[in-house]
């Protein structure tokens, strides 16, 4: 399937069904969820705990599968892909920023950033150049040899963002990226995400509890009981 | 960074645990290395020939054969050369400093297995200059600190002289080196005519005849023919290759190979259980991180290779240390212990490193590979 950038949304969910089974009881999360997100959009997803925000993000990241419905990102039908195909898709199309950074403690900042590049056919020199460029982009030039344990939360999150964008994915998924940061660091991270969306054209889907963070997005979706309600942001 | 470096960093993230594992592996491979070196080097059986035949009494190797039997052996068309040998066992100085003397015709021996022993015409000429001269093997000379021209006295355990004494005095005419490191050179070669003339009993007999078959003659067939020739004689024979003889000699005491296999097998099974157990826990501890790697796009296959790489790293480092230790021990032990660190030992050990590394990594790697990302993320 060839993507028509002008007419087709970049992310398209149709009639998504998803539930969890606890013992013999089935607990539905989504029963026919629809969602479209345009390329280069910046969408914040808010909602109370248990509303399905993380489940939605996991499905968009291809680490969880819907029970039914269609899930298309770009030209790829994630709902029809096997696990190895989804791994490959993640490696080339998506970056993810976690709430608690999830950096590997035994690797330096630069090595953490370099991880996604190990999956690409690049020479060591090409990888090093890219890593230095993204560390510079997130304001951590010269800090590549530092280990995560010696960095502040804000700095670790910037390493996390650098790792998410180093392979130049079109889609950036953020799971509470400011949830573990103080206001100043959170604002820096949000400014960086806004820059990535505005200047580099990344499509960003950000799950957050923080209304202040959500205001950085172009639009905010409220998820409750498996359904969306929408609100446009001033940003 | 590379995958190898990533595997190495993963393996080294808990240094104390990793060091203990490496020590564990190193000790196991030290045991393997030493026992394998012992097997290769023991009595020179690895360096012994399959082609050279030894003809001994069927009644036992301590029973002598009449020297006259040699003529009948030499008459077989399949025999290229034959000589006689008598072993004189004794000690030098103190009773536990045991040495063996092979009394033979050095000139004939040169033609039969001179190449294997490292004999040269110059050495044979040197021993020929006086009846009490001997050629000493390199291992024995190094162990005793002997040099050419030195006089040594061997006190025989059984072979008495005509004068009733057991002291046999020799002058060292030269040192033979052996064809390679696994050749047994922990003995000396004396002249049969000297020993035979001076000994009190069993004159004109030999403990064995050494036979080199003609080219193209199967040694096994020739051995059977020789034994058939003497089957109904007063001195029936048992003919074996040099290698068969030495293996059988060792088995008189115990099946050394089996014992070594059991010791090494037990240590490796224990090692396997320890490393598997530790690696399963190590991988379980960081299931979350494996989930992160999978989220970044690392496929199940790459995760499998990564965990296998960690165990291979542990086994590689530990194995290298253990084998280096075994190599060092063979150097320090000197030739008297007969330890030989051959290329075969190294190749087998390298194969074991890889096999055990993969075996021990298989279970934790499969667990890591199979764990769904969602399940991995729930472990934090």
């Amino acid at each position: 399937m060839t993507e028509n950038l002008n007419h087709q949304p970049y992310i398209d969910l149709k009639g998504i069904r998803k539930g969890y089974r606890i013992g013999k009881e089935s607990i539905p999360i989504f029963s026919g969820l629809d969602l479209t997100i345009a390329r280069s959009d910046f969408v914040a997803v808010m909602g109370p705990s248990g509303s399905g925000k993380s489940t939605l993000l996991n499905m968009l990241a291809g680490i969880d599968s819907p029970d039914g419905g269609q899930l298309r990102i770009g030209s790829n039908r994630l709902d029809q892909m096997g696990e190895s195909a989804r791994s490959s898709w993640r490696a080339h199309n998506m970056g993810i920023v976690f709430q608690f950074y999830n950096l590997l403690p035994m690797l330096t900042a630069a090595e953490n950033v370099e991880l996604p590049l190990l999956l690409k056919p690049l020479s060591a020199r090409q990888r090093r150049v890219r890593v230095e460029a993204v560390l510079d982009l997130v304001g951590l030039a010269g800090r590549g040899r530092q280990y995560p344990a010696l960095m502040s939360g804000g700095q670790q999150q910037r390493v996390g963002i650098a790792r998410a964008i180093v392979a130049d994915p079109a889609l950036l998924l953020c799971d509470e990226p400011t949830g573990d940061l103080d206001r100043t660091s959170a604002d820096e991270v949000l400014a960086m995400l806004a820059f990535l969306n505005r200047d580099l054209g990344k499509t960003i889907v950000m799950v957050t509890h923080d209304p202040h963070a959500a205001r950085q997005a172009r639009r905010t979706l409220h998820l409750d009981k498996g359904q969306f309600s929408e609100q446009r942001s001033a940003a | 960074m590379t995958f190898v470096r990533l595997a190495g960093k993963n393996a080294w993230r808990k240094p104390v645990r990793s060091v203990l594992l490496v020590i564990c592996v190193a000790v196991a491979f030290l045991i393997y290395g030493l026992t394998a070196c012992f097997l290769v080097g023991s009595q020179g059986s690895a360096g012994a020939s399959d082609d050279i035949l030894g003809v001994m009494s069927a009644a036992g190797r301590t029973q002598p054969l009449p020297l006259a039997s040699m003529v009948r052996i030499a008459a077989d068309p399949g025999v290229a050369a034959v000589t006689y040998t008598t072993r004189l066992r004794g000690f030098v100085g103190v009773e536990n400093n045991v040495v063996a003397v092979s009394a033979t015709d050095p000139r004939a021996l040169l033609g039969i297995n001179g190449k294997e022993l490292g004999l040269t015409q110059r050495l044979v000429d040197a021993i020929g200059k006086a009846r009490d001269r001997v050629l000493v093997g390199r291992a024995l000379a190094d162990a005793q600190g002997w040099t050419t021209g030195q006089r040594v006295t061997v006190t025989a355990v059984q072979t008495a002289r005509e004068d009733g004494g057991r002291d046999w005095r020799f002058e060292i005419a030269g040192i033979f080196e052996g064809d390679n490191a696994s050749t047994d050179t922990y003995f000396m070669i004396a002249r049969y005519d000297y020993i035979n003339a001076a000994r009190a009993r069993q004159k004109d007999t030999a403990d064995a005849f050494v036979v080199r078959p003609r080219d193209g003659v199967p040694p096994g067939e020739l051995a059977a023919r020789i034994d058939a020739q003497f089957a109904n004689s007063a001195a029936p024979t048992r003919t074996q290759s040099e290698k068969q003889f030495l293996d059988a000699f060792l088995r008189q005491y115990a099946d050394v190979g089996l014992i070594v296999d059991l010791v090494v097998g037990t240590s490796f099974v224990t090692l396997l259980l320890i490393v598997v157990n530790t690696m399963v826990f190590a991988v379980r501890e960081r299931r979350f991180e494996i989930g992160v790697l999978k989220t970044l796009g690392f496929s199940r296959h790459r995760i499998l290779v990564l965990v296998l790489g960690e165990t291979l790293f542990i086994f590689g480092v530990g194995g290298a240390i253990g084998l280096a230790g075994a190599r060092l021990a063979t150097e320090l032990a000197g030739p008297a212990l007969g330890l030989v660190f051959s290329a075969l030992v190294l190749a087998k050990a390298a194969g074991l490193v890889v096999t055990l590394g993969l075996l021990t990594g298989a279970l934790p790697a499969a667990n890591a590979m199979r764990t769904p990302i969602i399940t991995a993320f729930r472990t934090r």
Side-chain angles (χ1 to χ4, degrees):
Chain A
M1 187 173 15
T2 307
E3 185 187 6
N4 183 327
L5 294 178
N6 296 323
H7 300 100
Q8 277 200 325
Y10 180 59
I11 297 174
D12 190 3
L13 278 68
K14 281 190 183 135
I16 292 292
R17 282 181 290 107
K18 181 70 182 174
Y20 289 108
R21 191 168 278 280
I22 299 176
K24 288 183 178 173
E25 197 180 351
S26 179
I27 300 169
I29 306 290
F30 303 124
S31 309
L33 181 76
D34 297 324
L35 171 67
T36 56
I37 296 174
R39 184 177 281 276
S40 299
D41 203 351
F42 186 170
V43 176
V45 178
M46 297 187 74
S49 296
S51 60
K53 301 186 300 293
S54 294
T55 302
L56 173 69
L57 204 70
N58 288 342
M59 287 196 293
L60 291 176
I63 59 180
D64 202 356
S65 307
D67 296 335
Q70 288 183 19
L71 198 171
R72 185 180 57 76
I73 298 180
S75 58
N76 300 287
R77 281 283 299 273
L78 263 65
D79 56 296
Q80 293 179 339
M81 284 182 178
E83 193 176 325
S84 61
R86 279 185 278 147
S87 286
S88 173
W89 175 81
R90 279 195 297 274
H92 296 98
N93 297 282
M94 182 214 80
I96 190 161
V97 180
F98 299 94
Q99 180 180 359
F100 296 110
Y101 335 124
N102 295 348
L103 304 176
L104 303 195
M106 74 288 183
L107 302 182
T108 63
E111 287 169 338
N112 266 289
V113 174
E114 195 182 353
L115 280 173
L117 298 182
L118 294 180
L119 307 172
K120 292 192 170 283
L122 297 172
S123 69
R125 190 178 168 280
Q126 287 171 317
R127 292 200 303 267
R128 195 170 58 246
V129 168
R130 274 216 208 182
V131 168
E132 281 169 8
V134 288
L135 282 174
D136 190 25
L137 191 70
V138 298
L140 289 174
R143 308 292 286 272
R145 296 168 82 93
Q146 218 165 342
Y147 282 90
L150 300 173
M151 296 177 132
S152 69
Q155 287 171 331
Q156 288 189 56
Q157 192 58 295
R158 282 192 269 168
V159 175
I161 292 171
R163 182 178 65 184
I165 62 172
V166 72
D168 196 24
L171 174 63
L172 207 53
L173 300 174
C174 307
D175 186 7
E176 303 262 16
T178 59
D180 196 45
L181 301 178
D182 59 53
R183 190 73 270 158
T184 309
S185 299
D187 285 344
E188 286 172 6
V189 165
L190 290 169
M192 203 170 297
L193 293 177
F195 163 78
L196 292 171
N197 170 250
R198 191 182 56 242
D199 291 19
L200 301 182
K202 306 288 180 197
T203 307
I204 299 177
V205 179
M206 174 176 68
V207 164
T208 182
H209 276 107
D210 180 3
H212 176 73
R215 279 197 289 277
Q216 296 292 326
R218 291 176 198 266
R219 58 180 178 134
T220 301
L221 301 173
H222 288 272
L223 187 59
D224 195 12
K225 294 176 183 152
Q227 290 298 326
F228 283 120
S229 62
E230 185 170 342
Q231 159 189 321
R232 289 267 163 201
S233 170
Chain B
M1 192 172 58
T2 60
F3 271 102
V4 175
R5 187 162 159 75
L6 181 58
K9 284 218 164 195
N10 266 328
W12 217 247
R13 59 189 304 159
K14 294 217 167 172
V16 174
R17 180 167 63 192
S18 300
V19 165
L20 289 174
L21 275 182
V22 165
I23 290 173
C24 207
V25 174
V27 169
F29 274 92
L30 178 65
I31 293 170
Y32 170 78
L34 288 177
T35 49
C37 290
F38 170 72
L39 268 191
V40 169
S42 58
Q43 301 293 309
S45 67
S49 170
D50 265 327
D51 296 330
I52 294 169
L53 298 175
V55 184
M56 279 155 285
S57 168
R61 63 180 195 86
T62 55
Q63 296 300 309
L65 292 168
L67 213 51
S69 299
M70 195 175 85
V71 180
R72 289 174 66 188
I73 294 170
D76 190 292
V79 172
V82 58
T83 188
Y84 41 78
T85 179
T86 282
R87 278 237 159 183
L88 183 152
R89 287 190 176 272
F91 59 88
V92 176
V94 291
E95 286 187 11
N96 61 359
N97 187 20
V98 176
V99 296
V101 182
S102 271
T104 185
D105 174 359
R107 203 165 299 280
L109 192 66
L110 176 67
I112 294 172
N113 63 343
K115 181 180 175 299
E116 289 84 350
L117 291 173
L119 293 180
T120 61
Q121 188 59 51
R122 191 182 59 77
L123 287 171
V124 172
D125 291 344
I127 194 176
K129 285 180 180 161
R131 294 217 303 177
D132 64 345
R133 286 190 150 198
V134 288
L135 298 175
V136 179
R138 170 56 65 194
L140 180 61
D142 286 349
Q144 305 287 347
W146 290 344
T147 54
T148 303
Q150 193 174 339
R151 296 198 74 87
V152 295
T153 300
V154 176
T155 305
V157 177
Q158 287 181 318
T159 312
R161 298 171 61 90
E162 283 183 324
D163 61 9
R166 292 182 186 275
D167 287 346
W168 294 82
R169 291 180 183 80
F170 301 108
E171 181 191 352
I172 298 172
I175 291 166
F176 59 95
E177 303 289 342
D179 187 39
N180 57 56
S182 61
T183 305
D184 176 20
T185 54
Y186 200 80
F187 69 101
M188 57 174 101
I189 297 168
R191 285 175 53 165
Y192 178 86
D193 53 351
Y194 172 53
I195 303 289
N196 191 49
R199 64 180 167 178
R201 291 187 301 274
Q202 296 179 339
K203 284 182 185 289
D204 298 327
T205 63
D207 288 345
F209 298 105
V210 185
V211 176
R212 179 176 282 282
R214 285 193 192 282
D215 288 344
V217 175
E221 284 180 19
L222 178 60
R225 220 157 51 223
I226 292 170
D227 288 344
Q229 205 181 148
F230 294 98
N232 295 314
S233 73
T237 58
R238 182 170 184 219
T239 306
Q240 294 173 299
S241 72
E242 189 185 15
K243 195 176 187 66
Q244 284 172 326
F245 168 74
L246 286 169
D247 284 343
F249 181 77
L250 278 179
R251 284 203 166 86
Q252 286 182 125
Y253 305 103
D255 190 338
V256 180
L258 180 65
I259 291 170
V260 165
D261 285 347
L262 287 174
V263 169
V264 171
T266 307
S267 66
F268 276 147
V269 167
T270 310
L271 173 73
L272 206 72
L273 294 175
I274 291 170
V275 180
V276 167
N277 190 45
T278 310
M279 285 304 295
V280 165
F281 276 106
V283 169
R284 191 177 292 168
E285 271 173 16
R286 48 174 215 272
R287 269 198 296 185
F288 185 86
E289 287 172 17
I290 288 166
V292 171
L293 288 175
K294 285 184 176 179
T295 306
L296 296 179
F298 281 65
S299 64
R300 287 155 51 101
H301 172 72
R302 282 186 195 272
I303 296 292
L304 180 90
V305 171
L306 202 59
V307 177
L308 288 177
E310 285 178 46
T311 52
L312 281 174
F313 178 82
I314 296 279
F315 270 83
V317 174
I321 293 171
L323 292 171
R327 175 69 202 256
L328 187 66
T330 57
E331 297 292 330
L332 294 178
L337 278 182
L339 299 177
V340 176
F341 193 95
S342 66
L344 183 68
V345 170
L346 188 63
K348 278 186 178 175
L352 274 172
V353 164
V354 175
T355 307
L356 288 174
L358 293 176
L359 270 179
T360 50
L363 181 63
N367 285 345
M369 185 182 83
R370 283 198 301 255
T371 305
I373 300 173
I374 297 290
T375 310
F377 280 171
R378 285 197 198 113
T379 58
R380 173 165 276 186

